[in-house]
Amino acid sequence: MAAHTKSIVDLGLEGIPIDIECHLSNGLPTVTIVGLAGKALDESKERLRVAIGSSGANFPRKRIIINLAPADLPKDAVSLGLGIAVAILKADSQITSKLDESIFIGELGLDGNVRPVRGIIGKLLSATCQSATAIYVLKENETQAALTGLHTIYPVASLQELINHLAGTVPIQPLEPSDITTQISASSSIDMSEIHQQDAAKRALIIAAAGGHNVLMSGPPGTGKS
């Protein structure tokens, strides 16, 4: 049996669509991930086994091969975990829904819960170019996801909740786009002297402002960009 799902990984400022292909065959029960998967993804094999079992599903006792396409693009994103789990269950006929136009973004924990991932807004904006009819993201990311204005985003808290939704037993309601607007008072001002440390960043901003240049601050949450 074979099945495939879709996900998104970051490449610089762009989101790259990833096809997750899963093939099951008779033989010694093993899980092999190919397609330039990084260390984090390679370690996810045992996590997937436990997460699927914790979600009330059966992990197939077969030879499982996961291919991540395009094969020449290095992938070390744990956000592919949810899509891989769904592909395995789809190949084993435990999920029978049509998933060709669905995108899955999320990291799986051992208990089957979905964990947040970085750069969710960029991934969602890239997903709009893939003609996706349903995009599944972590429930904790729903506030950010609602800002994209998309009507096809479904917040998921756990793999079991997603399985029930795809089976049609307990449907998940799509997110309502957020209409929150941020208003900044015209009298408000920012004094850079109030910002402690970050001397290199402040100097870069001063030079950019003096010369009329653009500035891009890049880095994971917590590095001091704000």
Side-chain angles (χ1 to χ4, degrees):
M1 294 291 293
H4 84 277
T5 57
K6 295 181 180 180
S7 189
I8 301 285
V9 298
D10 295 321
L11 182 63
L13 299 178
E14 298 181 359
I16 304 299
I18 301 296
D19 285 326
I20 304 172
E21 300 172 319
C22 177
H23 182 269
L24 305 185
S25 60
N26 295 326
L28 186 66
T30 58
V31 180
T32 303
I33 301 179
V34 298
L36 281 185
K39 182 67 173 178
L41 275 176
D42 190 58
E43 291 179 343
S44 71
K45 293 183 289 189
E46 295 304 319
R47 184 165 61 246
L48 285 167
R49 189 187 306 274
V50 178
I52 289 176
S54 299
S55 303
N58 297 317
F59 193 86
R61 295 183 58 83
K62 296 184 178 181
R63 179 178 173 82
I64 303 174
I65 297 179
I66 306 293
N67 179 47
L68 306 175
D72 60 345
L73 176 68
K75 308 166 194 72
D76 199 23
V78 293
S79 60
L80 299 177
L82 184 61
I84 293 175
V86 173
I88 292 174
L89 295 176
K90 176 71 173 178
D92 197 42
S93 300
Q94 296 185 57
I95 291 178
T96 57
S97 304
K98 185 178 180 181
L99 306 176
D100 294 344
E101 303 302 327
S102 299
I103 291 179
F104 302 88
I105 304 173
E107 176 187 353
L108 280 180
L110 292 179
D111 55 0
N113 288 333
V114 184
R115 295 177 175 175
V117 297
R118 297 174 179 172
I120 189 65
I121 293 181
K123 289 182 174 65
L124 292 175
L125 293 178
S126 298
T128 60
C129 302
Q130 312 305 318
S131 302
T133 58
I135 307 171
Y136 298 93
V137 301
L138 173 65
K139 190 174 182 63
E140 292 182 15
N141 287 135
E142 62 181 351
T143 302
Q144 293 174 299
L147 297 176
T148 62
L150 302 177
H151 295 267
T152 56
I153 301 175
Y154 294 81
V156 179
S158 66
L159 178 59
Q160 184 175 24
E161 183 179 82
L162 178 58
I163 293 173
N164 292 335
H165 168 76
L166 295 175
T169 55
V170 186
I172 300 173
Q173 297 301 317
L175 283 179
E176 289 292 335
S178 175
D179 58 356
I180 298 177
T181 57
T182 302
Q183 297 182 352
I184 302 177
S185 173
S187 61
S188 65
S189 61
I190 299 175
D191 190 342
M192 293 185 63
S193 65
E194 298 175 357
I195 302 175
H196 298 284
Q197 299 182 345
Q198 302 295 341
D199 294 330
K202 290 191 289 186
R203 178 170 171 77
L205 290 174
I206 293 172
I207 295 174
H213 306 299
N214 296 320
V215 175
L216 171 63
M217 291 189 178
S218 178
T223 57
K225 299 187 301 297
S226 299

